[in-house]
Amino acid sequence: MTARKGEAPLTRIVPQPGIMDIALYEGGASHLEGKTNVLKLSSNENPFGPPEAAKEAFLRAVRDLHRYPSTDHAALRHAIGEVWGLEPRRIICGVGSDEIIHFLCQAYAGPGDEVVHTEHGFAMYRISALAAGATPVEVPERERTTDVDAILAACSERTKLVFIANPNNPTGTMIGMSEIRRLAEGLPEQAILVLDGAYAEYVEGYDAGTSLIAERDNVVMTRTFSKIYGLGGLRVGWGYGPQAIIDNLNRVRGPFNLSNAALVAAEAAVRDRAWVQRCRSENARWRDWLARKLAEVGVPSDVATANFVLARFADAQEANACDEHLRSEGIIVRRVAGYKLPHCLRITVGDEASCRRVAHAIGQFKGVR
């Protein structure tokens, strides 16, 4: 349909309900105009990158660029199963854990259904719910921490999915397995609990819910290779859950959703347990150091469990002013007003030099105010 001259364009081509309620996702900035030696601490990337074995596997994959990748991801699923003690047939692989989240909403939620998430939870829960035509239901947290009672109170006969990130992004907080178990047991019978474990590897001894999945038919776990494994640029994630749910997710998964290069690099990365241990140890050391140094200059944070610190300021004005100061020093962190935390800045834990640099810059900022 063509509009007359001077009139607004007319069209009957419109998206599905919910699509126009999705704000375009904004990733962490990478560049600062006029600045060199920019320090990017805005995307929770592993400063040490992937293990050497993953890099070598990626380079070898260039020989097979003309070949289609595996459709069943068998080699990667078996490697994950071997490392984590899981049944490979109950593992699904996707383009980051984001795609697994999208599969869950596509397969289990639609118009008239509700998808529950916490107020400071990962943005993709709401986005994927709206994309499926479902209604996202936001639940308050308690002191930036998942509140199981509030989630259970928000559930109804329309609830199909409940998402919690544990540890949570961007708060860095987490709840214990006893609370997760209580949540799983209290959900309506038609609802699935999804445990987003993108940062699970940063917590020593945490199984991210695998023991609970072994006992129940209403719990699914998602994981990623973008964080501790250092493969954010390849976009590989996976999920684990009851066989019936995984089978349904595979019905909506594209047959060639992961490239050969991504598959072989992820397989090499997951098998390098020593690299993961080293990254976990270094992250914990410098995360605790950074949190302590920020607290000493009057910038508190919650006890962090992932690879970032959520720095709290007096108000949004101070947080934004600190961000501008950091940018003037060539340092990029993440404003999180979109997560209803306008008075906070999320700071990725880098290597020693990076942590010292950002701590010094924030100390300067607090000292001149």
Coordinates of all heavy atoms in Angstrom, one line a residue, residues 26-82:
E26 N 21.7 -3.7 23.5 CA 22.9 -2.9 23.4 C 24.1 -3.7 24.2 O 24.0 -3.8 25.4 CB 22.8 -1.5 24.0 CG 21.8 -0.7 23.2 CD 21.7 0.8 23.7 OE1 22.7 1.2 24.4 OE2 20.8 1.5 23.4
G27 N 25.0 -4.1 23.4 CA 26.2 -4.8 24.1 C 27.1 -3.8 24.7 O 27.0 -2.6 24.5
G28 N 28.1 -4.3 25.4 CA 29.1 -3.5 26.0 C 30.0 -2.8 25.0 O 30.3 -3.4 24.0
A29 N 30.3 -1.5 25.2 CA 31.1 -0.8 24.3 C 32.5 -1.3 24.2 O 33.0 -2.0 25.1 CB 31.1 0.7 24.7
S30 N 33.1 -1.1 23.0 CA 34.5 -1.7 22.8 C 35.5 -0.6 22.5 O 36.7 -0.8 22.6 CB 34.5 -2.7 21.7 OG 33.6 -3.8 21.9
H31 N 35.0 0.6 22.1 CA 36.0 1.6 21.6 C 35.6 3.0 22.2 O 34.5 3.3 22.6 CB 35.9 1.8 20.1 CG 36.1 0.5 19.4 ND1 37.4 -0.1 19.2 CD2 35.2 -0.4 18.8 CE1 37.3 -1.2 18.6 NE2 36.0 -1.4 18.3
L32 N 36.6 3.8 22.4 CA 36.5 5.2 22.9 C 37.2 6.1 21.9 O 38.4 6.0 21.6 CB 37.1 5.4 24.3 CG 36.3 4.7 25.4 CD1 37.1 4.8 26.7 CD2 34.9 5.2 25.6
E33 N 36.4 7.0 21.3 CA 36.9 7.9 20.3 C 38.1 8.7 20.9 O 38.0 9.3 21.9 CB 35.8 8.8 19.8 CG 36.3 9.7 18.6 CD 35.1 10.5 18.0 OE1 34.0 10.2 18.4 OE2 35.4 11.3 17.1
G34 N 39.2 8.7 20.1 CA 40.3 9.5 20.5 C 41.2 8.9 21.6 O 42.2 9.5 22.1
K35 N 40.9 7.6 22.0 CA 41.7 7.0 23.1 C 42.4 5.7 22.5 O 41.9 5.0 21.7 CB 40.7 6.5 24.2 CG 40.0 7.6 24.9 CD 41.0 8.4 25.8 CE 40.3 9.5 26.6 NZ 41.3 10.3 27.4
T36 N 43.6 5.6 23.0 CA 44.4 4.4 22.7 C 44.5 3.6 24.0 O 44.3 4.1 25.0 CB 45.7 4.7 22.1 OG1 46.5 5.6 23.0 CG2 45.6 5.4 20.7
N37 N 45.0 2.4 23.9 CA 45.2 1.5 25.1 C 43.9 1.5 25.9 O 43.9 1.7 27.1 CB 46.3 2.1 25.9 CG 46.7 1.1 27.0 OD1 46.5 -0.1 26.9 ND2 47.2 1.6 28.1
V38 N 42.8 1.3 25.2 CA 41.5 1.2 25.8 C 41.3 -0.1 26.6 O 41.7 -1.2 26.1 CB 40.3 1.3 24.8 CG1 39.0 1.0 25.4 CG2 40.3 2.7 24.2
L39 N 40.9 0.0 27.8 CA 40.6 -1.2 28.7 C 39.1 -1.5 28.7 O 38.4 -0.7 29.3 CB 41.2 -0.9 30.1 CG 40.9 -2.0 31.2 CD1 41.5 -3.3 30.7 CD2 41.4 -1.5 32.5
K40 N 38.7 -2.6 28.1 CA 37.3 -3.0 28.1 C 37.0 -3.9 29.2 O 37.4 -5.0 29.2 CB 37.0 -3.6 26.7 CG 35.5 -4.0 26.6 CD 35.3 -4.8 25.3 CE 33.8 -5.3 25.2 NZ 33.6 -6.3 24.2
L41 N 36.2 -3.4 30.1 CA 35.7 -4.2 31.3 C 34.2 -4.1 31.3 O 33.6 -4.0 32.4 CB 36.3 -3.7 32.6 CG 37.8 -3.7 32.7 CD1 38.3 -3.0 34.0 CD2 38.4 -5.1 32.6
S42 N 33.5 -4.3 30.1 CA 32.1 -4.1 30.1 C 31.3 -5.3 29.7 O 30.1 -5.3 29.7 CB 31.8 -2.9 29.1 OG 32.3 -3.3 27.8
S43 N 32.0 -6.4 29.3 CA 31.3 -7.6 28.7 C 31.6 -8.9 29.5 O 31.3 -9.9 28.9 CB 31.6 -7.7 27.2 OG 31.1 -6.6 26.5
N44 N 32.2 -8.8 30.6 CA 32.5 -10.0 31.4 C 33.3 -11.1 30.6 O 33.0 -12.3 30.7 CB 31.2 -10.6 32.0 CG 30.5 -9.7 32.9 OD1 31.1 -8.7 33.4 ND2 29.2 -9.9 33.1
E45 N 34.2 -10.6 29.8 CA 35.1 -11.5 29.1 C 36.2 -12.0 29.9 O 36.7 -11.3 30.8 CB 35.6 -10.8 27.8 CG 34.5 -10.4 26.9 CD 34.8 -9.3 26.0 OE1 35.6 -8.4 26.4 OE2 34.2 -9.2 24.9
N46 N 36.7 -13.2 29.6 CA 37.9 -13.8 30.3 C 39.1 -13.1 29.8 O 39.5 -13.2 28.6 CB 37.9 -15.3 30.1 CG 39.1 -16.0 30.8 OD1 40.0 -15.3 31.3 ND2 39.0 -17.3 31.0
P47 N 39.9 -12.4 30.7 CA 41.0 -11.6 30.2 C 42.1 -12.5 29.7 O 43.0 -12.1 29.0 CB 41.5 -10.9 31.5 CG 41.0 -11.7 32.6 CD 39.7 -12.2 32.1
F48 N 42.1 -13.8 30.1 CA 43.1 -14.8 29.6 C 42.8 -15.5 28.3 O 43.6 -16.2 27.8 CB 43.4 -15.8 30.7 CG 43.7 -15.2 32.1 CD1 42.8 -15.2 33.1 CD2 44.9 -14.5 32.3 CE1 43.1 -14.6 34.3 CE2 45.2 -13.9 33.5 CZ 44.3 -13.9 34.5
G49 N 41.5 -15.3 27.9 CA 41.1 -15.9 26.6 C 41.0 -17.4 26.7 O 40.9 -17.9 27.8
P50 N 40.9 -18.1 25.6 CA 40.7 -19.6 25.6 C 42.0 -20.3 25.8 O 43.1 -19.7 25.6 CB 40.1 -19.9 24.3 CG 40.7 -18.8 23.4 CD 40.8 -17.6 24.2
P51 N 42.0 -21.6 26.2 CA 43.2 -22.3 26.3 C 43.9 -22.5 24.9 O 43.2 -22.5 23.9 CB 42.8 -23.7 26.9 CG 41.3 -23.8 26.6 CD 40.8 -22.3 26.6
E52 N 45.2 -22.8 24.9 CA 45.9 -23.0 23.7 C 45.3 -24.1 22.8 O 45.3 -24.0 21.6 CB 47.4 -23.3 23.9 CG 48.1 -22.1 24.4 CD 48.1 -20.9 23.4 OE1 48.3 -21.2 22.2 OE2 47.9 -19.8 23.8
A53 N 44.8 -25.2 23.4 CA 44.3 -26.3 22.7 C 43.1 -25.9 21.9 O 42.8 -26.3 20.7 CB 43.9 -27.4 23.6
A54 N 42.3 -24.9 22.4 CA 41.1 -24.4 21.7 C 41.5 -23.6 20.5 O 40.9 -23.7 19.4 CB 40.2 -23.6 22.6
K55 N 42.5 -22.8 20.7 CA 43.0 -22.0 19.6 C 43.6 -22.8 18.4 O 43.3 -22.6 17.2 CB 44.2 -21.0 20.0 CG 43.7 -20.0 21.1 CD 44.9 -19.2 21.5 CE 44.6 -18.3 22.7 NZ 45.8 -17.5 23.2
E56 N 44.3 -23.9 18.8 CA 44.9 -24.8 17.8 C 43.8 -25.5 17.0 O 43.8 -25.7 15.8 CB 45.8 -25.8 18.5 CG 47.1 -25.1 19.0 CD 47.9 -26.0 19.9 OE1 47.5 -27.2 20.1 OE2 48.9 -25.5 20.5
A57 N 42.7 -26.0 17.8 CA 41.6 -26.7 17.1 C 40.9 -25.7 16.2 O 40.5 -26.2 15.1 CB 40.6 -27.2 18.2
F58 N 40.8 -24.5 16.5 CA 40.1 -23.5 15.7 C 40.9 -23.3 14.4 O 40.3 -23.3 13.3 CB 40.0 -22.2 16.4 CG 39.3 -21.1 15.6 CD1 38.0 -21.0 15.5 CD2 40.1 -20.1 14.9 CE1 37.4 -20.0 14.7 CE2 39.5 -19.1 14.2 CZ 38.2 -19.1 14.1
L59 N 42.2 -23.2 14.5 CA 43.1 -23.0 13.3 C 43.0 -24.2 12.4 O 43.0 -24.1 11.2 CB 44.5 -22.8 13.7 CG 44.8 -21.4 14.5 CD1 46.2 -21.3 14.9 CD2 44.5 -20.3 13.5
R60 N 43.0 -25.4 13.0 CA 42.9 -26.6 12.1 C 41.6 -26.7 11.4 O 41.5 -27.3 10.3 CB 43.1 -27.9 13.0 CG 44.5 -28.1 13.5 CD 44.6 -29.5 14.0 NE 43.7 -29.8 15.1 CZ 44.0 -29.6 16.4 NH1 45.2 -29.1 16.7 NH2 43.2 -29.9 17.4
A61 N 40.5 -26.1 11.9 CA 39.2 -26.1 11.3 C 39.1 -25.4 10.0 O 38.2 -25.7 9.2 CB 38.2 -25.5 12.3
V62 N 40.1 -24.6 9.7 CA 40.1 -23.9 8.4 C 40.2 -24.9 7.2 O 39.8 -24.5 6.1 CB 41.3 -22.9 8.4 CG1 42.7 -23.6 8.2 CG2 41.1 -21.9 7.2
R63 N 40.7 -26.0 7.4 CA 40.8 -27.0 6.4 C 39.5 -27.6 5.9 O 39.4 -28.2 4.9 CB 41.7 -28.2 6.8 CG 43.1 -27.8 7.3 CD 43.8 -28.9 8.0 NE 45.1 -28.5 8.6 CZ 45.8 -29.2 9.5 NH1 45.3 -30.4 9.9 NH2 46.9 -28.8 9.9
D64 N 38.5 -27.4 6.8 CA 37.2 -28.0 6.5 C 36.1 -26.9 6.3 O 34.9 -27.2 6.6 CB 36.7 -28.9 7.6 CG 37.6 -30.1 7.7 OD1 37.9 -30.7 6.6 OD2 38.0 -30.5 8.8
L65 N 36.5 -25.7 5.9 CA 35.5 -24.7 5.7 C 34.4 -25.0 4.7 O 33.3 -24.4 4.7 CB 36.2 -23.3 5.4 CG 37.1 -22.7 6.4 CD1 37.6 -21.4 6.0 CD2 36.3 -22.6 7.8
H66 N 34.7 -25.9 3.8 CA 33.8 -26.3 2.7 C 32.8 -27.4 3.2 O 31.9 -27.7 2.5 CB 34.5 -26.8 1.5 CG 35.4 -27.9 1.7 ND1 36.4 -28.0 2.6 CD2 35.4 -29.2 1.1 CE1 37.0 -29.1 2.6 NE2 36.4 -29.9 1.7
R67 N 33.0 -27.9 4.4 CA 32.2 -29.0 4.9 C 31.1 -28.5 5.8 O 31.3 -27.6 6.7 CB 33.0 -30.0 5.7 CG 34.2 -30.6 4.9 CD 33.7 -31.5 3.8 NE 34.8 -32.2 3.1 CZ 34.7 -32.8 2.0 NH1 33.5 -32.9 1.4 NH2 35.7 -33.4 1.4
Y68 N 29.9 -29.1 5.7 CA 28.9 -28.7 6.7 C 29.3 -29.3 8.1 O 29.9 -30.3 8.2 CB 27.5 -29.3 6.3 CG 26.8 -28.5 5.3 CD1 26.8 -28.8 3.9 CD2 26.0 -27.4 5.7 CE1 26.2 -28.0 3.0 CE2 25.3 -26.6 4.8 CZ 25.4 -26.9 3.4 OH 24.7 -26.2 2.5
P69 N 28.9 -28.6 9.1 CA 29.2 -29.1 10.5 C 28.3 -30.3 10.9 O 27.3 -30.6 10.2 CB 28.9 -27.9 11.4 CG 27.9 -27.1 10.7 CD 28.2 -27.3 9.2
S70 N 28.6 -30.9 12.0 CA 27.8 -32.0 12.5 C 26.4 -31.4 12.9 O 26.3 -30.3 13.4 CB 28.5 -32.5 13.8 OG 27.6 -33.2 14.6
T71 N 25.4 -32.2 12.6 CA 24.0 -31.8 13.0 C 23.7 -32.2 14.4 O 22.8 -31.6 15.0 CB 23.0 -32.4 12.0 OG1 23.1 -33.9 12.1 CG2 23.3 -32.0 10.6
D72 N 24.4 -33.2 15.0 CA 24.0 -33.7 16.3 C 25.0 -33.3 17.4 O 24.8 -33.5 18.6 CB 23.8 -35.2 16.3 CG 25.1 -35.9 16.0 OD1 26.2 -35.3 15.8 OD2 25.0 -37.2 15.9
H73 N 26.1 -32.6 17.0 CA 27.1 -32.1 17.9 C 27.6 -33.2 18.9 O 27.9 -33.0 20.0 CB 26.5 -31.0 18.8 CG 25.8 -29.9 18.0 ND1 24.7 -29.3 18.5 CD2 26.0 -29.4 16.8 CE1 24.3 -28.4 17.6 NE2 25.1 -28.5 16.5
A74 N 27.7 -34.4 18.4 CA 27.9 -35.6 19.2 C 29.3 -35.5 19.9 O 29.4 -35.8 21.1 CB 27.9 -36.9 18.4
A75 N 30.3 -35.1 19.2 CA 31.7 -35.0 19.9 C 31.7 -34.0 21.0 O 32.2 -34.3 22.1 CB 32.7 -34.7 18.8
L76 N 31.1 -32.9 20.8 CA 31.1 -31.9 21.9 C 30.2 -32.3 23.0 O 30.6 -32.2 24.2 CB 30.6 -30.5 21.3 CG 30.4 -29.4 22.4 CD1 31.8 -29.2 23.1 CD2 30.0 -28.1 21.7
R77 N 29.0 -32.9 22.7 CA 28.2 -33.4 23.8 C 28.8 -34.4 24.6 O 28.7 -34.5 25.9 CB 26.8 -33.9 23.2 CG 26.0 -32.8 22.7 CD 24.6 -33.3 22.3 NE 24.6 -34.2 21.2 CZ 24.4 -35.5 21.3 NH1 24.2 -36.1 22.5 NH2 24.5 -36.3 20.3
H78 N 29.6 -35.3 24.0 CA 30.3 -36.4 24.7 C 31.4 -35.8 25.6 O 31.6 -36.3 26.7 CB 30.8 -37.5 23.8 CG 29.8 -38.5 23.4 ND1 28.9 -38.2 22.4 CD2 29.5 -39.7 23.9 CE1 28.1 -39.3 22.3 NE2 28.4 -40.2 23.2
A79 N 32.1 -34.8 25.1 CA 33.1 -34.2 25.9 C 32.5 -33.5 27.1 O 33.1 -33.6 28.2 CB 33.9 -33.1 25.0
I80 N 31.4 -32.8 26.9 CA 30.8 -32.1 28.0 C 30.3 -33.1 29.1 O 30.5 -33.0 30.3 CB 29.6 -31.3 27.6 CG1 30.0 -30.1 26.7 CG2 28.7 -30.8 28.7 CD1 28.9 -29.4 26.0
G81 N 29.7 -34.2 28.5 CA 29.3 -35.3 29.4 C 30.4 -35.9 30.2 O 30.2 -36.2 31.4
E82 N 31.5 -36.1 29.6 CA 32.7 -36.7 30.2 C 33.2 -35.8 31.3 O 33.5 -36.3 32.5 CB 33.8 -37.0 29.2 CG 35.0 -37.5 29.8 CD 36.1 -37.7 28.7 OE1 35.8 -38.0 27.5 OE2 37.3 -37.4 29.0

